[in-house]
Amino acid sequence: NHKVRVTKGVLEEECSRLLKDFFARLRLLKKQQKEEVQEKEENQEIQEVQNKEGTSGTEHSSGPDKNGGTEHSAGTDKNAETENNGGTDENAGT
């Protein structure tokens, strides 16, 4: 009894944009959730490894090296700085 007239293309661009934006946000949300789950799993694995290392008694401590000295990182030795400055210490006399 009722006949409906259909007109194509009404609000086509707006509807297309809405659908594309919706699904793009949905994909982004799923990607973020997946990354959060992966990060959480990685953190749990790291924690488990650290717990195993802590209970096995094989922790490494920083301290004297085998020659009785203390380990240094490169560039922090005052004598090396003096040698690099031609034998003069810029901080001398202060």
Side-chain angles (χ1 to χ4, degrees):
N1 293 327
H2 293 77
K3 292 188 179 186
V4 178
R5 184 181 268 177
V6 177
T7 306
K8 295 185 338 180
V10 175
L11 299 173
E12 178 180 3
E13 290 180 26
E14 184 180 346
C15 292
S16 174
R17 183 177 40 80
L18 286 171
L19 287 170
K20 287 179 182 181
D21 290 347
F22 171 78
F23 285 107
R25 278 185 264 134
L26 186 63
R27 285 189 300 272
L28 180 62
L29 180 62
K30 286 185 177 186
K31 181 180 178 181
Q32 289 173 341
Q33 288 173 341
K34 183 178 178 180
E35 289 172 352
E36 288 174 3
V37 168
Q38 288 175 340
E39 185 176 331
K40 192 179 278 189
E41 289 173 350
E42 289 173 1
N43 288 339
Q44 287 175 343
E45 290 175 10
I46 291 171
Q47 183 107 23
E48 289 174 5
V49 169
Q50 289 174 344
N51 288 341
K52 287 180 182 179
E53 288 176 354
T55 58
S56 67
T58 58
E59 286 189 63
H60 299 285
S61 61
S62 60
D65 62 14
K66 63 183 177 182
N67 295 326
T70 305
E71 296 179 2
H72 296 289
S73 62
T76 59
D77 189 1
K78 284 274 189 196
N79 292 332
E81 289 177 14
T82 302
E83 291 172 8
N84 290 336
N85 291 332
T88 61
D89 189 358
E90 293 178 4
N91 295 327
T94 55

